[in-house]
Amino acid sequence: MYSMRCGFFVLCVLGFCFKVTAQQSFTLQQAIDYAQQHSPAFQNNKINRQIAASKNFESITKYLPKVNVTAEYRDNLYLAVTPIPAQFFGGKPGDFKDIKFGIKYNSTAGLDFSQPIVDAGAIGDILYSKEGKVLSEFQIQQATIELKVNVTKAYYNAQLNIQQVEKANKTVERNKKILESTQVKFDNKNATKTDVNRALLNLKQAQYQQQLSQDALSQSKLFLCQQIGFSIKEQVEVAESLPLNFNPDTLIELAEAQTIFANRIEYKSEMQQAILNKWQLRKTNMQYAPSVSFFGYVGGQGFSNDANVFAVKWNQVSYLGLRLTMPIFDGLQKAAIAQQQKLNLKKNANNLLDIEQSVNYQLQATALNLANAARNVKFQQQNINLAEEILNDVKVRYENAYAIYQEVIDAENVLKDAEILYFTALRDYLVAEVDWKRANGKL
């Protein structure tokens, strides 16, 4: 009985520990790594890469020998009738006698095999699928970049909301102290009941904003869970503080598009797609070439007028051959397909030009946006510092009866507006930084 209780206690402790460890903390890099392993959408990109590899192997198998086992059992219900001149059987000249040729039952069994020797279509498939495998690698690289962008923005959003909660908590504490101070002044007949009520109202509003900030933080954590493929039944925590170690006065260098776009994965993917379309066109044209294959058969035949053909002696049957196939006319089907592929190549050329122009624009625009966002963060931070000084000064003067409560309210509102503008500027900066890194191929 004692051992059972001990065992139950151990199970409870283990269950409690498991429940506690259900909460997991991530750095930004850990969140990205976790997403690469668990995000369902990203796993599909890995599967697409495996499919491309399988298609490549499938194309190779077209040049491997094909062997089939064939077996047939036949009951000739009505044997074919052949008219034979009757005079061979003592009949009158000009008459014919119907003679049935064949055996009632017959069976065959054997191995049927073939081996392509020259097959231009199969060669085209092999080369095409090989390039398709390369394209799948570029596509997963592009998907990785998109994943990093999405996870990074989600992670930054959670970090911002953590700071907003901290600011909201400080605002609540500040308003509690103001309410306490106002109550003391009211008790000493140095403030009105209206001042107390307004202080209480401001505290309740601060507490409401505190709850909104906490809800926004919870929602941002849920969104981060969704982005990385983490179970929403468990709790994710942000392990890193918000990155604020940037110099807003640093001039962002404008990179040359020609040095960047060739390394951009979108450009590589489109180039590979153009190569793939060229091979698709070649593969179509190669289907006009003749093909040569070796074939053969090894087996046996059994004939009998009795249903049990296996009781009679079987005769060996085997042959070897060489087959040449020359396409002549397919109703212009391949010509129509080739025309479509030529048009796709024109689209590839337009897409490459569009990517070059887009990269050039992105490099210039993201650099300017990042520089402006950094300056704005610095400006809004200075405004917060100034607003805090004003509020602290007003609070001191209010406590010493040199300021009215309306001045405290006005100073609180100024600080609140400055904090909103600061967080907006900070969010804009973080997004601009991610976009700039993406444009410069730094993700």
Side-chain angles (χ1 to χ4, degrees):
M1 186 69 180
Y2 176 76
S3 61
M4 290 179 63
R5 288 180 179 177
C6 290
F8 178 74
F9 176 75
V10 171
L11 288 175
C12 290
V13 172
L14 290 174
F16 176 77
C17 292
F18 176 79
K19 185 175 181 181
V20 171
T21 55
Q23 176 176 314
Q24 189 167 348
S25 181
F26 290 95
T27 65
L28 175 56
Q29 187 57 51
Q30 288 172 342
I32 293 173
D33 294 340
Y34 189 92
Q36 289 178 330
Q37 297 299 323
H38 298 88
S39 172
F42 190 76
Q43 301 315 304
N44 283 339
N45 289 286
K46 292 183 178 180
I47 294 174
N48 289 336
R49 179 170 59 182
Q50 294 173 347
I51 291 173
S54 180
K55 286 183 177 179
N56 185 44
F57 179 73
E58 177 191 2
S59 65
I60 295 174
T61 61
K62 293 183 178 181
Y63 247 101
L64 296 178
K66 307 297 185 294
V67 181
N68 299 306
V69 175
T70 62
E72 180 182 334
Y73 176 82
R74 181 182 300 178
D75 181 354
N76 297 306
L77 300 177
Y78 296 98
L79 295 174
V81 176
T82 301
I84 302 297
Q87 61 185 1
F88 290 115
F89 304 95
K92 297 180 180 179
D95 291 340
F96 292 89
K97 183 176 180 63
D98 293 336
I99 303 296
K100 292 183 178 182
F101 288 94
I103 304 297
K104 174 67 173 171
Y105 302 97
N106 65 73
S107 292
T108 60
L111 294 175
D112 187 351
F113 60 90
S114 63
Q115 171 64 59
I117 299 176
V118 178
D119 190 339
I123 294 174
D125 284 337
I126 292 173
L127 297 174
Y128 176 81
S129 61
K130 182 179 179 181
E131 297 297 335
K133 186 178 178 181
V134 176
L135 178 61
S136 70
E137 292 295 331
F138 287 145
Q139 288 173 339
I140 200 169
Q141 290 178 31
Q142 189 168 355
T144 301
I145 292 174
E146 293 297 329
L147 179 140
K148 288 181 178 179
V149 169
N150 295 333
V151 172
T152 301
K153 289 183 178 180
Y155 196 89
Y156 283 167
N157 192 47
Q159 289 177 318
L160 277 167
N161 285 322
I162 290 174
Q163 275 215 344
Q164 286 182 316
V165 168
E166 293 175 355
K167 289 284 187 181
N169 293 339
K170 291 180 180 179
T171 302
V172 169
E173 292 300 319
R174 193 166 58 243
N175 279 274
K176 283 183 179 178
K177 292 179 180 180
I178 292 175
L179 176 60
E180 293 172 357
S181 175
T182 305
Q183 184 65 50
V184 171
K185 291 173 71 66
F186 174 74
D187 294 339
N188 293 329
K189 298 182 180 180
N190 291 323
T192 65
K193 184 63 176 177
T194 301
D195 291 337
V196 175
N197 290 337
R198 294 173 74 177
L200 179 60
L201 178 61
N202 286 342
L203 174 60
K204 290 183 177 180
Q205 289 178 339
Q207 290 172 334
Y208 176 69
Q209 291 298 324
Q210 181 186 46
Q211 184 61 50
L212 290 181
S213 299
Q214 291 172 345
D215 292 342
L217 176 58
S218 298
Q219 187 174 7
S220 63
K221 288 181 178 179
L222 287 175
F223 183 67
L224 179 60
C225 287
Q226 187 268 332
Q227 289 294 317
I228 67 176
F230 193 72
S231 174
I232 60 174
K233 296 180 181 179
E234 302 176 8
Q235 187 167 354
V236 63
E237 293 296 333
V238 176
E240 294 177 312
S241 59
L242 199 63
L244 298 176
N245 55 340
F246 60 90
N247 185 0
D249 297 321
T250 301
L251 180 63
I252 306 299
E253 295 183 0
L254 299 180
E256 290 292 334
Q258 296 298 325
T259 64
I260 296 296
F261 75 82
N263 293 323
R264 283 280 291 266
I265 194 62
E266 301 96 319
Y267 190 86
K268 290 182 178 180
S269 295
E270 192 61 37
M271 284 287 291
Q272 188 61 31
Q273 185 62 60
I275 293 173
L276 203 62
N277 288 337
K278 288 179 181 178
W279 274 112
Q280 183 71 28
L281 178 59
R282 292 176 186 175
K283 187 177 77 169
T284 301
N285 292 331
M286 290 169 75
Q287 292 176 3
Y288 287 103
S291 61
V292 180
S293 61
F294 172 76
F295 65 94
Y297 179 84
V298 176
Q301 291 180 321
F303 300 94
S304 175
N305 285 317
D306 189 285
N308 186 10
V309 296
F310 301 101
V312 301
K313 180 181 179 181
W314 278 48
N315 301 311
Q316 183 179 358
V317 177
S318 61
Y319 58 82
L320 298 173
L322 199 64
R323 180 180 293 116
L324 172 67
T325 303
M326 172 68 78
I328 297 177
F329 183 70
D330 64 350
L332 300 178
Q333 181 184 18
K334 287 191 283 292
I337 294 174
Q339 180 61 30
Q340 297 172 33
Q341 291 157 357
K342 291 177 182 178
L343 294 175
N344 284 331
L345 287 172
K346 291 184 178 180
K347 289 173 61 177
N348 291 136
N350 291 331
N351 290 339
L352 289 171
L353 180 60
D354 181 64
I355 290 173
E356 292 181 22
Q357 294 174 347
S358 297
V359 168
N360 186 37
Y361 168 77
Q362 290 172 11
L363 290 172
Q364 306 289 328
T366 57
L368 293 174
N369 288 341
L370 182 58
N372 290 333
R375 287 192 291 267
N376 192 28
V377 170
K378 180 180 179 181
F379 175 72
Q380 298 302 335
Q381 182 62 65
Q382 292 172 345
N383 287 346
I384 284 183
N385 296 336
L386 183 60
E388 289 176 343
E389 290 181 10
I390 293 173
L391 179 60
N392 292 333
D393 178 66
V394 171
K395 284 169 58 180
V396 171
R397 291 193 297 111
Y398 175 69
E399 291 172 356
N400 291 279
Y402 290 107
I404 61 175
Y405 186 67
Q406 182 62 46
E407 292 181 69
V408 177
I409 295 176
D410 292 341
E412 278 281 350
N413 290 333
V414 169
L415 179 58
K416 186 186 303 181
D417 293 341
E419 288 176 345
I420 292 174
L421 292 174
Y422 170 74
F423 283 116
T424 300
L426 192 56
R427 179 176 287 106
D428 292 342
Y429 169 79
L430 294 173
V431 171
E433 183 185 40
V434 173
D435 292 337
W436 179 81
K437 288 181 178 179
R438 180 182 182 184
N440 287 269
K442 297 182 181 294
L443 285 177

